[in-house]
Amino acid sequence: MACARFTAAVAFGLLFAADSPAGGQSELPRTYIGKPTTAEITSADLMTRLYIFADDSMMGREVGTIYHLKSTAYIEGEVRKLGLVPAGEDGGYFQTLPVYRYYADSISTLQIGGKSMVFGADFFPYATAEHRISLDGVPVVYGGVLTDSATWLPAEDAAGKIVFFSVPSTSTPARNFQFSARSRFARSPLVLVGSLERIPQSVRPFFAQRMVFLKSDAPLLGPPTTFITTNVARTLFGTLDGLVAGMAGMALSGTIVLHRAQAPARNVVAILPGSDPALRGEYVAIGAHTDHIGFNNKPVDHDSTRIFNMITRPQGEDSPPAPTLTPAQALRFHAMLDSVHALHPARLDSINNGADDDGTGTVSVLEIAEAFAKANTRPRRSILFVWHAGEEKGLWGSQYYTDHPTVPRDSIVAQLNMDMVGRGSATDITGETRSGEFTHGGPGYLQLVGSRRLSTELGTLIESVNRRAHPALIFDYSMDANGHRQNIYCRSDHYEYARYGIPIAFLTTGGHSDYHQVTDEPQYIDYEHLAQVAKFVQAVAAEVANLDHRIAVDKPKPDPSARCVQ
Ligand SMILES: [Zn+2]
């Protein structure tokens, strides 16, 4: 590999060996174009793939954006080249998720007594459906205090009217403001809520543009809500003191225009058919997630952010935010930053590349697919490769896939999930024990979660495959403890399979200070470690796929619709 060496670690090593930003290892280049991949799972192949998949041009691969389309187009192109069998929809490799973008159109107007209110400042519509609501001549009525249903207007008095709710200044400005189609306000064309000036500017973008995963069991929504300021509400009712539900407000005019548009979100699904005609109708699923958390519009200095987090937030987003450094930490911070900036200039960064999360899992699944596809012999059972979308939003893709599987759900005998499998060095804080002590990585480090939760046999099989591996991995089960604070059994895609009684194993090299930060970039990945994990997962998949019996489920199956409990 043509990689620049990280010399600062050497120069600085005596004083700050454990603090060097590359964790004492060589630093890789920030951008890199690798050689074409080979049949084998190699660190070079994984590097070639990850520098493509986690490049800045992917802009953080947030689901619902064109960048997620771009990232999944790369996966699709690769599995097509490998000749895998498409197992998405319509004979292709993609499975589209029902993800929509909801937003209010700024052409919306609101006038009171002929005076125009300002969109966004005086009124702020919250989009829940495609809607065009004319306000002209619709009576306005006071509905009560939003947080106190005892004060609410009866259903028959609200029907056909615009209903305004006040919110006490001591209450959260925007909670439980959306009424359902079964609520008493279902027959009102619009609900107004008078707390707009208290909704922080920082959260308004999430209200203005919402990405929604439409589940089949989603509750039907009632009237849309538009927030107005207390001042606008006062104009409407003359005063806000002593209002009683049912009191009439001034007439409004104008139109609220709400939109819903399909947003890009798709799983990639491909099959390697098994070699045994009697068993190829069963599948060993291997998965990872393609999406990440996108980019922001507030660039920060990459190196100082990275070093600040190394010192104060060893688990990245999983550590509490640290506003300031102690004097001792500040000394370390400046020394480390100087050593890094001596090697390369400062640079601004605003893209969450998601190299480890879950670029590493994604490219590992691709490398495993390539290794299986180009091997002389195939496993007896089929291998089902699913690259999930929207994991970061709440396991959308895996939920959708398991609710709408493209092979019979009961034919999936196990699922192996890789999420963040490229770190786990001795300087990474990979997680915590149940009692709250930090865990560290090291050579061959791998966390296993859930591998015995449905099938003792799967857990035992994974260990026996490892005993035959050279070098063997070192398993850390501490994150798998029941009731663990970090709850990671419920936090990645494998759980959506487990809830249907499919034995799973979640494999990860664990957390680190770049977790969900703009600093999660391909040059900080340990590609040898990554290759070792990917090869191991391939070996486990082959072992399960070649068993003379279906792997046994000996633990109770959960209720698929119940909340996950670790
Ligand atoms: Zn993540």
Side-chain angles (χ1 to χ4, degrees):
M1 276 179 284
C3 314
R5 285 268 140 190
F6 183 68
T7 47
V10 180
F12 223 67
L14 283 178
L15 279 172
F16 295 105
D19 284 346
S20 68
Q25 298 163 2
S26 56
E27 187 183 72
L28 299 171
R30 191 168 75 81
T31 60
Y32 167 74
I33 297 171
K35 293 204 185 83
T37 59
T38 60
E40 299 290 300
I41 298 171
T42 67
S43 55
D45 286 5
L46 288 159
M47 196 168 160
T48 294
R49 294 191 183 284
L50 191 62
Y51 271 86
I52 295 169
F53 191 69
D55 188 72
D56 277 353
S57 60
M58 293 290 187
M59 297 295 281
R61 308 187 302 272
E62 185 176 7
V63 90
T65 70
I66 57 164
Y67 305 109
H68 185 255
L69 284 189
K70 185 176 174 175
S71 70
T72 48
Y74 166 70
I75 306 296
E76 194 262 2
E78 294 299 295
V79 294
R80 183 181 292 275
K81 271 195 287 188
L82 293 175
L84 298 184
V85 175
E89 62 211 0
D90 304 328
Y93 294 99
F94 294 120
Q95 180 185 44
T96 303
L97 271 56
V99 174
Y100 296 89
R101 204 160 49 86
Y102 289 85
Y103 58 102
D105 198 318
S106 60
I107 65 164
S108 300
T109 54
L110 175 68
Q111 291 113 23
I112 306 175
K115 188 168 180 285
S116 289
M117 302 293 130
V118 179
F119 179 90
D122 297 324
F123 71 106
F124 193 92
Y126 180 84
T128 50
E130 190 77 41
H131 261 308
R132 196 179 183 92
I133 305 151
S134 172
L135 309 177
D136 300 348
V138 184
V140 178
V141 69
Y142 180 56
V145 180
L146 186 65
T147 49
D148 181 4
S149 60
T151 66
W152 291 355
L153 193 65
E156 52 275 23
D157 296 342
K161 295 173 188 161
I162 295 170
V163 183
F164 166 73
F165 290 93
S166 56
V167 183
S169 59
T170 48
S171 303
T172 313
R175 181 178 286 171
N176 298 333
F177 58 84
Q178 176 62 57
F179 289 97
S180 83
R182 287 161 58 188
S183 77
R184 71 171 85 170
F185 304 107
R187 286 177 292 147
S188 302
L190 184 72
V191 161
L192 300 174
V193 171
S195 58
L196 177 56
E197 72 279 5
R198 291 200 293 120
I199 300 178
Q201 289 295 340
S202 58
V203 306
R204 291 192 190 189
F206 300 101
F207 278 63
Q209 278 263 15
R210 294 183 309 122
M211 205 98 71
V212 176
F213 174 48
L214 273 197
K215 300 174 200 169
S216 48
D217 60 348
L220 278 176
L221 296 180
T225 294
T226 288
F227 291 94
I228 57 175
T229 62
T230 316
N231 273 340
V232 171
R234 213 170 271 125
T235 310
L236 210 48
F237 287 93
T239 174
L240 293 180
D241 298 324
L243 284 184
V244 174
M247 283 180 168
M250 285 174 72
L252 297 175
S253 58
T255 311
I256 303 290
V257 183
L258 308 174
H259 296 298
R260 179 183 110 156
Q262 179 121 32
R266 56 192 185 181
N267 293 329
V268 184
V269 193
I271 290 170
L272 177 95
S275 60
D276 186 335
L279 294 178
R280 73 165 61 117
E282 292 182 355
Y283 299 85
V284 178
I286 306 177
H289 72 90
T290 51
D291 66 306
H292 192 56
I293 58 173
F295 60 94
N296 62 57
N297 294 310
K298 288 186 209 125
V300 292
D301 177 65
H302 178 95
D303 296 310
S304 54
T305 301
R306 185 154 199 263
I307 293 167
F308 186 88
N309 285 328
M310 286 172 75
I311 294 173
T312 63
R313 301 184 76 184
Q315 299 186 83
E317 198 184 52
D318 260 1
S319 294
T324 51
L325 296 170
T326 64
Q329 287 176 328
L331 269 178
R332 261 175 80 199
F333 172 82
H334 287 293
M336 289 166 73
L337 189 60
D338 289 350
S339 79
V340 169
H341 280 173
L343 288 170
H344 54 248
R347 71 175 158 105
L348 292 177
D349 195 353
S350 58
I351 299 170
N352 293 283
N353 301 71
D356 191 34
D357 184 9
D358 183 23
T360 51
T362 293
V363 300
S364 292
V365 180
L366 261 182
E367 276 291 291
I368 293 168
E370 183 176 30
F372 271 131
K374 292 180 175 171
N376 294 328
T377 56
R378 293 187 166 193
R380 296 171 68 191
R381 287 180 182 78
S382 299
I383 310 289
L384 174 69
F385 302 98
V386 187
W387 288 268
H388 303 103
E391 189 270 355
E392 300 287 6
K393 303 284 185 194
L395 318 186
W396 288 355
S398 50
Q399 184 179 359
Y400 192 73
Y401 188 78
T402 51
D403 283 342
H404 306 89
T406 57
V407 301
R409 193 187 295 121
D410 291 343
S411 68
I412 304 173
V413 303
Q415 201 262 353
L416 308 173
N417 180 34
M418 282 176 282
D419 192 353
M420 300 173 63
V421 285
R423 294 287 295 265
S425 80
T427 51
D428 285 322
I429 304 295
T430 54
E432 295 170 13
T433 64
R434 209 188 148 184
S435 53
E437 286 154 53
F438 285 152
T439 54
H440 294 262
Y445 175 86
L446 187 67
Q447 290 179 358
L448 275 186
V449 175
S451 58
R452 285 191 165 84
R453 286 183 178 264
L454 280 153
S455 165
T456 310
E457 186 182 11
L458 179 61
T460 306
L461 177 147
I462 288 171
E463 299 223 336
S464 75
V465 171
N466 191 41
R467 272 194 296 278
R468 282 177 267 137
H470 296 288
L473 292 155
I474 294 159
F475 293 151
D476 177 359
Y477 287 98
S478 50
M479 297 289 275
D480 197 21
N482 286 338
H484 194 291
R485 181 185 78 80
Q486 285 168 299
N487 197 36
I488 72 166
Y489 176 62
C490 303
R491 279 173 56 186
S492 188
D493 293 315
H494 53 270
Y495 178 70
E496 300 294 340
Y497 292 79
R499 74 191 164 113
Y500 279 113
I502 298 166
I504 65 93
F506 175 33
L507 306 102
T508 173
T509 48
H512 46 76
S513 56
D514 298 309
Y515 170 66
H516 279 205
Q517 307 295 323
V518 295
T519 54
D520 182 6
E521 293 191 347
Q523 72 267 30
Y524 306 127
I525 299 300
D526 180 344
Y527 291 91
E528 294 296 335
H529 199 153
L530 178 59
Q532 194 186 356
V533 174
K535 282 183 203 162
F536 178 71
V537 172
Q538 189 201 6
V540 171
E543 186 87 0
V544 176
N546 286 325
L547 284 179
D548 60 4
H549 62 281
R550 182 181 176 138
I551 200 137
V553 176
D554 60 339
K555 306 276 180 68
K557 296 183 182 188
D559 169 0
S561 56
R563 228 188 92 229
C564 175
V565 178
Q566 176 170 336

